[in-house]
Amino acid sequence: MSLSKQDLIKHVKELTQTKYELFWTKNTNGMDLLVPDDKAIAAAVKADVREPGELELIRNTIKPGQIVVDAGACIGQYALEMAGLVGPGGKVIAVE
């Protein structure tokens, strides 16, 4: 089943029962992200603000096909990086 971006927003709002409006943006890598209408979160996502040391650790440690966990995932920026590294044969479990 393929959902439009608007349908996806509707489903995410129903599932999360968020008080925020949701909108689509792109980070500095051009990745489409669905974020809450919270200025601090949206600015961090759009600017792709992450800790360089943590990104280096993730990129040097995670390999294709692995199963990895992002505990304390917040909005999932590291989980997205991990997903790209484990590829279709791996799995990322992200929990806030």
Side-chain angles (χ1 to χ4, degrees):
M1 175 171 77
S2 180
L3 295 175
S4 70
K5 286 185 173 184
Q6 290 303 320
D7 286 339
L8 187 56
I9 288 173
K10 178 183 170 191
H11 289 294
V12 169
K13 286 184 77 165
E14 288 172 2
L15 287 170
T16 62
Q17 298 180 1
T18 183
K19 65 180 180 177
Y20 295 107
E21 290 300 315
L22 301 172
F23 69 97
W24 289 96
T25 190
K26 289 187 182 291
N27 68 6
T28 56
N29 295 323
M31 183 180 296
D32 285 324
L33 300 170
L34 183 59
V35 297
D37 189 14
D38 175 278
K39 290 181 182 178
I41 293 174
V45 168
K46 194 164 189 170
D48 200 18
V49 175
R50 296 181 277 184
E51 295 295 325
E54 292 175 359
L55 276 177
E56 183 179 352
L57 176 67
I58 288 168
R59 290 175 178 155
N60 291 332
T61 306
I62 296 174
K63 306 291 183 231
Q66 289 183 317
I67 298 172
V68 298
V69 176
D70 183 0
C74 190
I75 58 174
Q77 284 187 283
Y78 291 110
L80 291 171
E81 184 78 25
M82 292 172 182
L85 294 168
V86 300
K91 183 181 278 191
V92 177
I93 300 165
V95 180
E96 174 50 37

